[in-house]
Amino acid sequence: MVRHQPLQYYEPQLCLSCLTGIYGCRWKRYQRSHDDTTPWERLWFLLLTFTFGLTLTWLYFWWEVHNDYDEFNWYLYNRMGYWSDWSVPILVTTATAFTYIAGLLVLALCHIVVGQQMNLHWLHKIGLVAILASTVVAMSAVAQLWEDEWEVLLISLQGTSPFLHLGALAAVTLLSWIVAGQFARAERSSSQVTILCTFFTVVFALYLAPLTISSPCIMEKKDLGPKPALIGHRGAPMLAPEHTLMSFRKALEQKLYGIQADITISLDGVPFLMHDATLRRTTNVEQVFPELARRPASMLNWTVLQRLNAGQWFLKTDPFWTASSLSPSDHREAQNQSICSLDELLELVKGNTTLLLNLREPPRDHPFRSSFVNVTLETLLHSGFPQHQVLWLLNRQRPLVRKVAPGFQQTAGSKEAVASLRRGHIQRLNLRYTQVSGQELRDYASWNLSVNLYTVNAPWLFSLLWCTGIPSVTSDNSHILSQVPSPLWIMPPEEYCLMWVTADLISFTLIVGIFVFQKWRLGGIRSYNPEQIMLSAAVRRTSRDVSIMKEKLIFSEISDGVEVSDEFSMCSDSSYDTYANSTAPPRGPRGGSSQAKTLTDQGGR
C-alpha cells in the first residue's frame, strides 16, 4: 500500500528568483542550475567586467572635466554652427550606462556567491555591447578632437588618488568574500594556489600603490603659499552676459585682482569687446540683421554693433546653468545689455583693477589690419589708465608696444625658452592649466616669471593649484572661488603615511579573517554519508533532471515500504542541489557512481 505524503517541500526563494530572473530571465525553479558556468558565459562575464572598468574611467573623466564644460560647448558650437549644452546630457547618459553595467556586474557576482550558473540574457548582451562600443567611440573622439583634455585626468588624480586608494581597498576587501568562497570550494590544490597567488598579488600591489602617489596637497600647512589671485574671465560670465558692462561691474564688486577681456576693432576703427569671430552666439544679430549674421564682427561699423542686444542670449541659453539664480532686477538688467566698447570698460574700471588684454587680429581686408595695435594703444593711453595695471598679451609688434607704453606688463601666451622670454622682456606667462607642471612652475619662479593659468572654475582644481603655488588664475567662477578660505584638503606627509598604513593593516586583517571563515564554513561540504550518496545523480544533469530523479527515487522507496526521514522530505531544493553537486562521488568506468549503485542495489534487496 502506498502512503500519500508530500514528496518534497519547496521553500519560497524570492531573492534567488529575482537574482536569476533579472540577470538571465530565469524566473522558474526548473530554469536555474548549479552546474558550472559555460566558457561562453565566462567570456561574457569578463567582457562585463572590462566594460565596467571602462565606463567607470569615462564617468570619472567626464565628471572631472566639468571645469571645461563651457569650453567643450564652445568647441562644438564652432563645429556645428549652433549653441547647445552637450555636457550635462553626456554626463547623465554616462552615469545611466555606468549604473546599468554596475548593476549587471553585482548580479553576476551574486550568482557566484550563491553557486548559480550564470546565463546573461540576450537583451543584456546587446545592451552591454552597445555601451561598450559607445564608450570606446566617445573616448576615441575626445582623444582626437580634445587631446589636451586627457591631461585633466592625470591632474585630477593628484587631488583624488589618496581617497581613491581608500575606496579601492574597501572594494577589494569586499571582493575577498567571493574569492575566499571560490578558494574554499576548489577541489584541486593547484586551483587553490592559483586563486590565492593571483588575488594576493593584486592586494599587495594595491597596498603599495601610495608609493606612486604624488600630490601637492600632501604638505605641511605652514608651507602653504598665499591664495592665488583671481582674474575674471570676460568679467563675471556666470552672473551676467560675458563682455558686457554688467559682467565687468559684477567682477568689480567681488574685488578681484584683475579682469580679462578680448578686444576686436570695428570696421570704422572703434575697439570693442568680443570673443567670437562672429556675433551669432552672443547677440541677436540673426533676428535684427540676418544677412550680417555670418559676417566677421570686426567687419561691421560701431553704429550697427550698438543696435544689437548682447544679453538676451545669456538668459535663453543659460550657458552655466546660473540664469535662474539671478534676482528680478539682475534679470531685467541682463536682458538689456549691449556690446561694450573698450572706452566704456576703461571708464568703468578707472584703475581699480588690473586688465589682462588679448587683441583679436582683424581679417586681411580690414582697413585697420596694419594699425589696430596703434588704435588700441591710443585708446588705452588717452584714457589715462595706469600702465602698470595692463597685462599686454598680443605678441605682435611688442617692440612698438614697449616703446609707446613701457609700463605695460608684457605677457606671453605660450611656453618659450627662457632666453627668448628675457629678450622679449616678458614678465608673465598666461597658460592653460594643463600646459605646465609643478617643476616648470618652480623653474619660472626662480627666473622671476609670474604664471597665470586659465580657465580654472572647479574648486578642486583651484585648491590643487593653490597647493602647487600658482600666483594667479583666470576664472569664470570667481564669485565662488573668492569665497574658498583654504584648499579643500591638505594633509601632512606623516598623517598621510599613518592613514595609508592603518588602512592597509585593517584591510589585510579583514581579508585573512574572511579567508579563514570561508574555509571553515565551506570546507566540510565535501563530506557525505551513504544516504546522500544514494540520492546523488550518477551523471551530471541539469537542475530539472535532478529534481525529477529525486522525486522518482523517493516515491519508489515509499512504495517498497522504506521510510523517508522527515528531515529530507522537508529539505529545500536549492540546499540539496548545492550539496549534491559539490559532494558527487567518484564515477565508475561507464560514467556512473559505483558506490551509489551498490547502495541502491542493497536498498532494493
Side-chain angles (χ1 to χ4, degrees), residues 116-130:
Q116 283 288 323
Q117 184 186 56
M118 288 187 291
N119 186 18
L120 186 63
H121 194 260
W122 63 271
L123 285 177
H124 289 319
K125 293 177 179 177
I126 294 176
L128 173 61
V129 172

Side-chain angles (χ1 to χ4, degrees), residues 535-547:
L535 295 176
S536 297
V539 181
R540 199 167 187 82
R541 300 174 183 270
T542 64
S543 178
R544 187 179 182 186
D545 293 338
V546 172
S547 299

Side-chain angles (χ1 to χ4, degrees), residues 216-233:
C217 292
I218 301 178
M219 63 183 302
E220 297 291 344
K221 294 182 179 180
K222 61 182 179 62
D223 297 330
L224 180 65
K227 182 178 179 178
L230 291 172
I231 298 177
H233 188 225

Side-chain angles (χ1 to χ4, degrees), residues 308-548:
L308 299 176
N309 185 289
Q312 293 176 353
W313 72 273
F314 176 78
L315 301 175
K316 180 180 179 181
T317 61
D318 197 4
F320 296 99
W321 299 73
T322 54
S324 59
S325 64
L326 298 181
S327 64
S329 59
D330 285 345
H331 192 279
R332 288 191 297 270
E333 184 180 1
Q335 196 169 15
N336 295 309
Q337 291 299 300
S338 58
I339 296 176
C340 179
S341 67
L342 179 59
D343 276 328
E344 291 173 326
L345 172 62
L346 296 174
E347 177 65 24
L348 175 68
V349 174
K350 294 181 179 178
N352 293 322
T353 189
T354 300
L355 290 180
L356 175 59
L357 301 180
N358 182 28
L359 274 65
R360 298 288 178 175
E361 195 168 340
R364 293 182 179 276
D365 54 347
H366 195 281
F368 292 90
R369 165 78 175 186
S370 59
S371 59
F372 75 99
V373 174
N374 304 68
V375 174
T376 304
L377 286 174
E378 182 180 349
T379 304
L380 286 168
L381 297 176
H382 185 265
S383 69
F385 192 86
Q387 292 189 19
H388 69 277
Q389 291 184 267
V390 175
L391 308 183
W392 187 267
L393 195 57
L394 184 67
N395 193 43
R396 182 175 175 179
Q397 298 184 11
R398 279 197 190 274
L400 172 64
V401 176
R402 288 200 308 271
K403 181 179 179 180
V404 176
F408 284 6
Q409 299 186 51
Q410 297 298 322
T411 306
S414 60
K415 291 193 296 185
E416 300 178 26
V418 179
S420 176
L421 295 175
R422 288 178 175 175
R423 283 196 304 269
H425 300 276
I426 300 299
Q427 299 167 268
R428 288 175 175 267
L429 288 172
N430 186 58
L431 305 173
R432 194 173 190 269
Y433 69 92
T434 57
Q435 294 177 336
V436 62
S437 64
Q439 183 59 46
E440 288 174 327
L441 288 174
R442 289 187 288 271
D443 293 339
Y444 289 139
S446 65
W447 298 326
N448 200 26
L449 288 172
S450 180
V451 178
N452 177 73
L453 298 184
Y454 65 89
T455 306
V456 179
N457 297 327
W460 72 263
L461 180 58
F462 180 71
S463 299
L464 194 65
L465 296 176
W466 186 347
C467 294
T468 306
I470 287 294
S472 63
V473 298
T474 301
S475 176
D476 297 317
N477 198 21
S478 55
H479 64 291
I480 297 297
L481 299 186
S482 60
Q483 299 176 6
V484 176
S486 61
L488 296 182
W489 69 274
I490 185 170
M491 190 182 304
E494 297 79 8
E495 185 178 333
Y496 173 66
C497 289
L498 178 62
M499 181 187 72
W500 161 31
V501 174
T502 303
D504 285 357
L505 289 176
I506 293 175
S507 173
F508 183 73
T509 303
L510 290 175
I511 289 175
V512 171
I514 289 172
F515 267 80
V516 172
F517 177 75
Q518 288 284 65
K519 183 66 175 177
W520 170 80
R521 187 175 72 93
L522 301 174
I525 286 185
R526 296 180 200 164
S527 60
Y528 48 82
N529 55 50
E531 290 182 6
Q532 291 162 339
I533 296 175
M534 180 178 64
L535 295 176
S536 297
V539 181
R540 199 167 187 82
R541 300 174 183 270
T542 64
S543 178
R544 187 179 182 186
D545 293 338
V546 172
S547 299
I548 296 173

Side-chain angles (χ1 to χ4, degrees), residues 78-255:
N78 286 334
R79 289 276 180 168
M80 297 183 296
Y82 64 92
W83 179 268
S84 182
D85 189 351
W86 296 91
S87 56
V88 175
I90 292 176
L91 179 63
V92 172
T93 303
T94 302
T96 302
F98 171 75
T99 303
Y100 172 70
I101 294 298
L104 288 182
L105 184 61
V106 169
L107 292 175
L109 294 176
C110 289
H111 275 70
I112 297 176
V113 171
V114 300
Q116 283 288 323
Q117 184 186 56
M118 288 187 291
N119 186 18
L120 186 63
H121 194 260
W122 63 271
L123 285 177
H124 289 319
K125 293 177 179 177
I126 294 176
L128 173 61
V129 172
I131 291 175
L132 177 60
S134 301
T135 305
V136 171
V137 170
M139 297 178 76
S140 301
V142 170
Q144 293 182 3
L145 303 178
W146 209 15
E147 183 178 359
D148 292 343
E149 203 64 16
W150 283 110
E151 296 293 331
V152 179
L153 190 64
L154 301 179
I155 294 174
S156 68
L157 289 176
Q158 297 180 22
T160 60
S161 53
F163 308 101
L164 293 178
H165 175 248
L166 294 179
L169 285 181
V172 78
T173 302
L174 292 175
L175 192 62
S176 65
W177 179 270
I178 300 176
V179 177
Q182 297 301 306
F183 171 78
R185 291 189 184 99
E187 298 181 359
R188 297 180 179 179
S189 299
S190 59
S191 299
Q192 291 182 332
V193 170
T194 301
I195 294 174
L196 205 63
C197 291
T198 303
F199 180 71
F200 276 97
T201 298
V202 175
V203 169
F204 284 115
L206 188 60
Y207 288 165
L208 299 177
L211 293 175
T212 64
I213 293 176
S214 175
S215 174
C217 292
I218 301 178
M219 63 183 302
E220 297 291 344
K221 294 182 179 180
K222 61 182 179 62
D223 297 330
L224 180 65
K227 182 178 179 178
L230 291 172
I231 298 177
H233 188 225
R234 309 171 197 169
M238 288 192 179
L239 304 179
E242 66 181 55
H243 279 147
T244 61
L245 285 177
M246 179 183 179
S247 181
F248 296 128
R249 190 180 304 112
K250 290 288 185 181
L252 289 175
E253 291 174 359
Q254 300 167 26
K255 300 186 181 340

